[in-house]
Amino acid sequence: PYPSGEPHIGHLKVYSVGDAIAHFHRRTGRRVLHPMGYDAFGLPAENHAIKSGQHPRESTDLAIREFQRQFRAWGISIDWSREFGTHEPRYYHWTQWIFLQLFNAGLAYRKEAAVKWCPKDQTVLANEQVINGHCERCGSEVEARQLEQWFFRITDYADRLLDDLDRIHWPEYVKTMQRNWIGRSEGAEVTFRCEELGIDYPVFTTRPDTLFGATFFVMAPEHPDVLRLAHGTPHEDEVRHYVDHAITESTEERGDTEKPKTGVFLGRHVTNPVNGARLPMYVADYVLMEYGTGAIMAVPGHDERDFAFAKTYNLPIKRVVGGHDELPYVGDGPIVHSHPEFDGLHNRDAVHKIVEWIDRQGKGHASVNYRLRDWLVSRQRYWGCPIPIVHCDRCGLVPVPEHELPVVLPDITDYAPQGRSPLAAADEWVRVRCPECGAEGRRETDTMDTFVDSSWYFLRYCDATNDDAAWDPAVLRRWMPVDQYIGGVEHAILHLMYARFFTKALTDLGHLDVQEPFERLFTQGMITKDGAKMSKSKGNVVSPQAIVDRYGADTARAYILFIGPPDQDADWSDEGVEGVYKFLGRLWRLCAVTADAIGQDPEPLPGEGLQGDDLALARKAAWAIDRVTDAMAGRFAFNSAIARVMELYNDCSRLRANVAPDTLRFALATAASLLFPFAPHTAADAYHLLTGRRVWEEPWPFPDQSLLERETYELVCQVNGKVRDRVQAATGASEDELVALCLAAPNVQAHVDGKEVVKRVVVPGKLVNLVAR
RNA sequence: GCCCGGGUGGUGGAACGGUAGACACGGGGCCCUCAAAAGGCCCUGUCCGAAAGGGCGUGCGGGUUCGAAUCCCGCCCCGGGCACCA
């Protein structure tokens, strides 16, 4: 968790789910690594500190203590020996080490680029942290700035990040989000030449089959050549005016797809390489500088945006793909009006042929474009991991030698954001000798994005106390990958993409041996109150602390699992909590009075030769074991699992006076044992009362097969698909015998009377369906 | 616009193509109590019927099947993601 403030109901949910899984797997014989740590650097913690007037370190440590206290109160089975915070030097030492590995491999680099700037948080942001033009953290509208910044070369991994999604067991919608974000498009790069200036302009297109339909050419307002092209033409002033206006427009206005298309003629032309056509050049804000080459060929006949533009400016519209629909036509069909070599071909087949053809002439080639950009990792903020680089006038960017790590974040008093890193003011810290030439150098003063810290913490958990290295590769070979990752959807393209990138890069560099960090991902749904997201401003916050104070941790945990399927959103109900509280009380009390009355027995096994209610209750217990195990293994059907335990308890309560003490003890001990992953304190105590044993040291129960099988069962008798009766049938009965039983059932006779049975469907163990006419 | 989820009683939800509504909440009745709380027992989809039983029912309309909440086709509504990406 981010340690800011205190745990909320969402934390209670994730860790209740995680703990249930951890307990279940431990008792099925697995070694379970169930760790805890704090994503302590970054904007949430720092902003919280600024607001409360404390130093970020103080407020972070305070929040961590509160999280620890509550997690212990909840009784989550965490291996505390592996605990750490990402803000501790013993952790970020290795964050810096990883940074240097990436730097040395050319995967971390510095460059000047148009970047996203949050005016409120006073820092640059990664593309992933800009949601619809707004800062992911504070919601402010972001601005564009031209700055030199640090990047990680995640784009080198675009194809692998995309392809390997097929190998991991993640919810399909999360994979889809990542695929969308990576945004791989296959097509071609084709060069259009501006003869007037003698400059070649490559464009990217996914539709090389429509090259013959290009009737004009458009450049983004940010394209560096726009003013140069217009220079000296009668359109120069108009172009300058348009560009000035376009670049001051907000991302939101600019991105509005409903907005009418606007643009200005540049007074120049390019030549279409496939047919020599002279195409007028325009500048228009519907073309984006950050995608492709910042320039496009416009095919109004087969692109809706180009069509709208052509209509507005009376530009020619040409059909080059046949079809019955009106233009613009974006579907498939035969190539027309293009070139004798391609006319008549299906457009999909023509794509490759046209690309080969222009490639042979040196005017273009097949190409792939991605939406994914390199990850901008530097931040102009105080509370983050220092970047272990020294700037030297002579040597350039010099990595801090590994034996000098960690570069410790200095304690400074003025850490408020101010548009450049507050660390720049820590003069003594900044001034340092260049590790290479010894001349006076300056430390890098930007800090790392928090998402860098969290991109490898799962690796550190495996070898958390290693002082000599980030980890021992042999230890990681045993634990990695993470078998089950649990978290919210909000990380779908941020953390979950970055962590995959780190894993692949570190494996490529020889430090790791896995391609994917998280084999299975489970995304839990949100808990709402009265149908709305909980928030302080709405005053509908349910605090886990208050629930635990009132009902105890078991009720809080079991209720949250009982409320519904954990991957779906669920609405909090105070009455529902009450119900689970009463159930736990009933179960515990019956166990206590039973133990009191009949004493403990460490081997709560059902005896031989059970009959009547004893047999029925023992069977119910075996059935519950079978059902709960099924609900846990591979599925996260905790709500159903708890319901099965409730049913077993209900039978115990109903039959308690009719059965032998051993039978009741067995059934109740089974209920407690099955309940343990969801309500560990109650269940462990109840189990101990009955057996004198610790349930967490017991293997997960296994149902007695002979109790799962029965000599007779209730046969459902259907006529024409409708249930008409139910009769007892012997388990091994033949199909003919079952049909006979069915026909003999009184209410079946009433429905087949006077009709002919034309078909008999027999499902042994279940039902007989007679088709009567 | 495109891509994912989801739509089942008063409510949360359960159902390998095979008894729809498990389990729980809420509601009703009763027991215990001087009374209440707590606890216990029973009823609770809907309509017809005294009952036995029957009709109708899983967003809507079709289809496949002996049999569909479940599979297929076409819609509607809710939630989420993506979206001037060439």
Side-chain angles (χ1 to χ4, degrees):
Chain A
Y2 292 127
S4 64
E6 49 187 82
H8 54 72
I9 207 84
H11 292 111
L12 183 64
K13 182 164 177 176
V14 207
Y15 301 123
S16 297
V17 168
D19 209 34
I21 293 164
H23 279 310
F24 175 73
H25 285 292
R26 276 191 203 104
R27 289 182 60 204
T28 57
R30 294 188 166 92
R31 293 176 66 209
V32 176
L33 200 168
H34 191 208
M36 178 58 72
Y38 309 94
D39 193 1
F41 270 144
L43 287 180
E46 192 174 356
N47 287 341
H48 180 79
I50 290 165
K51 217 160 54 180
S52 62
Q54 291 162 297
H55 191 277
R57 194 182 317 282
E58 285 170 33
S59 72
T60 299
D61 286 343
L62 203 69
I64 286 175
R65 280 198 291 280
E66 180 58 17
F67 273 71
Q68 288 168 330
R69 194 187 63 73
Q70 290 210 32
F71 291 161
R72 283 171 202 268
W74 300 350
I76 308 293
S77 63
I78 289 161
D79 179 351
W80 293 106
S81 73
R82 298 170 187 271
E83 185 191 28
F84 57 77
T86 58
H87 66 312
E88 297 173 43
R90 68 183 173 115
Y91 179 82
Y92 69 69
H93 178 155
W94 306 111
T95 307
Q96 293 173 343
W97 177 81
I98 292 171
F99 184 96
L100 293 181
Q101 305 312 305
L102 297 177
F103 179 78
N104 293 334
L107 290 170
Y109 66 95
R110 215 172 138 81
K111 77 160 183 203
E112 190 184 297
V115 299
K116 314 279 166 98
W117 172 268
C118 173
K120 172 124 183 291
D121 287 329
Q122 296 272 303
T123 182
V124 296
L125 298 170
N127 273 20
E128 288 78 10
Q129 288 153 19
V130 180
I131 316 291
N132 293 328
H134 295 263
C135 172
E136 178 242 351
R137 298 283 5 144
C138 71
S140 310
E141 186 162 348
V142 303
E143 300 164 0
R145 290 203 177 179
Q146 193 71 20
L147 291 170
E148 192 176 297
Q149 295 292 326
W150 284 96
F151 292 86
F152 284 162
R153 215 176 286 282
I154 191 171
T155 51
D156 273 13
Y157 287 80
D159 276 328
R160 282 165 64 190
L161 289 169
L162 189 68
D163 294 344
D164 289 352
L165 286 171
D166 295 335
R167 317 197 328 195
I168 49 183
H169 300 101
W170 285 20
E172 209 46 53
Y173 78 107
V174 175
K175 294 191 192 182
T176 305
M177 284 169 75
Q178 293 215 349
R179 287 188 189 109
N180 287 343
W181 187 259
I182 295 166
R184 183 186 153 103
S185 298
E186 287 178 39
E189 202 167 286
V190 184
T191 303
F192 287 65
R193 186 170 180 81
C194 174
E195 296 293 355
E196 288 116 317
L197 277 80
I199 304 176
D200 283 340
Y201 288 107
V203 300
F204 175 73
T205 177
T206 54
R207 294 293 305 274
D209 53 316
T210 64
L211 263 163
F212 293 90
T215 58
F216 57 105
F217 189 92
V218 193
M219 299 180 106
E222 293 85 354
H223 197 289
D225 282 8
V226 163
L227 293 174
R228 177 170 157 207
L229 282 159
H231 182 72
T233 74
H235 307 274
E236 188 173 353
D237 288 345
E238 202 190 347
V239 168
R240 179 171 292 118
H241 184 79
Y242 183 81
V243 168
D244 284 348
H245 176 75
I247 59 178
T248 55
E249 225 177 3
S250 74
T251 347
E252 218 161 346
E253 291 170 307
R254 174 109 182 241
D256 183 2
T257 51
E258 303 300 306
K259 198 180 73 167
K261 298 278 175 287
T262 60
V264 176
F265 180 45
L266 289 173
R268 305 286 183 186
H269 296 79
V270 287
T271 308
N272 186 342
V274 296
N275 58 7
R278 217 167 107 87
L279 310 179
M281 298 177 84
Y282 283 78
V283 56
D285 65 2
Y286 79 93
V287 174
L288 309 173
M289 190 60 217
E290 59 265 29
Y291 189 79
T293 62
I296 62 156
M297 66 163 190
V299 184
H302 304 283
D303 181 282
E304 285 170 14
R305 298 152 301 179
D306 297 344
F307 182 85
F309 191 87
K311 277 283 170 196
T312 308
Y313 294 95
N314 273 319
L315 292 158
I317 298 164
K318 184 179 168 190
R319 177 187 281 277
V320 289
V321 177
H324 302 292
D325 291 355
E326 283 178 24
L327 297 180
Y329 174 62
V330 296
D332 296 325
I335 297 291
V336 295
H337 315 311
S338 293
H339 187 276
E341 206 170 314
F342 309 115
D343 282 348
L345 286 175
H346 189 267
N347 69 313
R348 301 256 176 172
D349 302 326
V351 167
H352 312 284
K353 297 209 159 71
I354 293 178
V355 172
E356 279 169 32
W357 183 68
I358 55 176
D359 199 355
R360 278 199 300 276
Q361 299 172 48
K363 291 170 178 168
H365 52 86
S367 169
V368 177
N369 240 280
Y370 301 89
R371 214 178 78 108
L372 183 71
R373 298 281 88 124
D374 274 345
W375 174 13
L376 198 173
V377 295
S378 43
R379 296 289 179 275
Q380 291 70 53
R381 296 286 297 224
Y382 167 67
W383 191 235
C385 176
I387 294 173
I389 293 287
V390 172
H391 296 259
C392 170
D393 288 339
R394 218 173 325 162
C395 312
L397 299 171
V398 182
V400 172
E402 285 185 19
H403 67 266
E404 287 180 24
L405 296 182
V407 175
V408 175
L409 181 68
D411 263 316
I412 61 172
T413 46
D414 185 15
Y415 50 80
Q418 48 203 259
R420 60 169 195 161
S421 175
L423 285 178
D427 216 41
E428 274 179 43
W429 182 82
V430 171
R431 282 173 24 190
V432 67
R433 298 240 155 254
C434 168
E436 234 151 70
C437 70
E440 183 150 315
R442 299 172 322 281
R443 284 196 193 281
E444 170 63 57
T445 56
D446 282 358
T447 54
M448 291 185 219
D449 181 6
T450 338
F451 283 98
V452 178
D453 308 325
S454 59
S455 291
W456 73 281
Y457 74 107
F458 44 92
L459 304 175
R460 183 66 182 175
Y461 277 145
C462 302
D463 198 10
T465 54
N466 193 330
D467 293 331
D468 306 320
W471 57 77
D472 175 349
V475 172
L476 261 71
R477 262 194 291 280
R478 282 216 301 278
W479 285 113
M480 286 297 292
V482 175
D483 298 287
Q484 184 64 63
Y485 208 44
I486 307 168
V489 220
E490 66 273 17
H491 293 120
I493 43 181
L494 289 155
H495 168 61
L496 290 172
M497 182 88 77
Y498 296 148
R500 296 182 61 220
F501 159 61
F502 259 48
T503 301
K504 288 178 189 304
L506 289 165
T507 291
D508 287 354
L509 297 176
H511 303 295
L512 250 183
D513 216 9
V514 283
Q515 289 299 327
E516 285 291 333
F518 314 121
E519 190 59 34
R520 273 170 293 267
L521 172 70
F522 181 81
T523 54
Q524 97 266 19
M526 209 175 28
I527 302 218
T528 56
K529 183 71 200 296
D530 307 320
K533 194 172 172 171
M534 290 184 194
S535 74
K536 281 181 197 144
S537 56
K538 285 194 208 102
N540 63 345
V541 175
V542 177
S543 124
Q545 176 72 61
I547 301 300
V548 170
D549 282 350
R550 182 155 179 191
Y551 299 103
D554 281 1
T555 297
R557 294 174 54 169
Y559 170 64
I560 235 168
L561 297 177
F562 185 61
I563 193 170
D567 55 332
Q568 284 175 28
D569 290 350
D571 203 57
W572 183 271
S573 146
D574 291 331
E575 292 82 13
V577 185
E578 200 81 38
V580 170
Y581 177 69
K582 288 178 182 174
F583 164 67
L584 294 179
R586 280 197 297 270
L587 175 70
W588 185 87
R589 279 194 302 276
L590 185 54
C591 290
V593 295
T594 302
D596 239 24
I598 65 177
Q600 285 183 347
D601 187 326
E603 298 291 340
L605 294 170
E608 297 289 314
L610 295 170
Q611 294 181 24
D613 285 344
D614 285 275
L615 182 59
L617 188 56
R619 276 189 175 142
K620 186 73 176 187
W623 169 87
I625 294 169
D626 187 57
R627 299 321 306 151
V628 172
T629 306
D630 180 65
M632 296 294 291
R635 300 197 292 150
F636 287 169
F638 308 117
N639 54 333
S640 293
I642 293 169
R644 298 294 89 86
V645 180
M646 286 174 169
E647 283 190 72
L648 174 55
Y649 163 79
N650 288 344
D651 275 17
C652 290
S653 171
R654 189 166 53 84
L655 299 173
R656 56 196 282 197
N658 308 354
V659 298
D662 283 351
T663 311
L664 184 59
R665 180 166 38 224
F666 165 66
L668 283 171
T670 300
S673 177
L674 296 174
L675 185 68
F676 176 70
F678 321 115
H681 309 87
T682 309
D685 194 52
Y687 191 85
H688 184 260
L689 288 171
L690 291 163
T691 67
R693 298 168 76 113
R694 297 167 161 180
V695 70
W696 61 89
E697 291 171 352
E698 300 294 306
W700 187 253
F702 192 77
D704 184 331
Q705 286 306 309
S706 67
L707 288 172
L708 287 178
E709 290 156 14
R710 321 190 48 175
E711 302 96 74
T712 65
Y713 62 93
E714 192 173 67
L715 180 74
V716 170
C717 306
Q718 296 183 333
V719 178
N720 294 333
K722 287 187 190 275
V723 180
R724 294 304 179 187
D725 221 329
R726 298 174 173 88
V727 297
Q728 285 299 308
T731 297
S734 71
E735 296 203 359
D736 286 346
E737 287 170 318
L738 293 175
V739 169
L741 272 172
C742 182
L743 278 166
N747 202 41
V748 170
Q749 291 199 328
H751 280 91
V752 295
D753 194 35
K755 292 175 179 168
E756 188 194 350
V757 176
V758 295
K759 184 166 184 172
R760 297 138 226 264
V761 180
V762 182
V763 185
K766 277 264 160 61
L767 57 80
V768 172
N769 185 20
L770 303 175
V771 184
R773 253 201 320 246

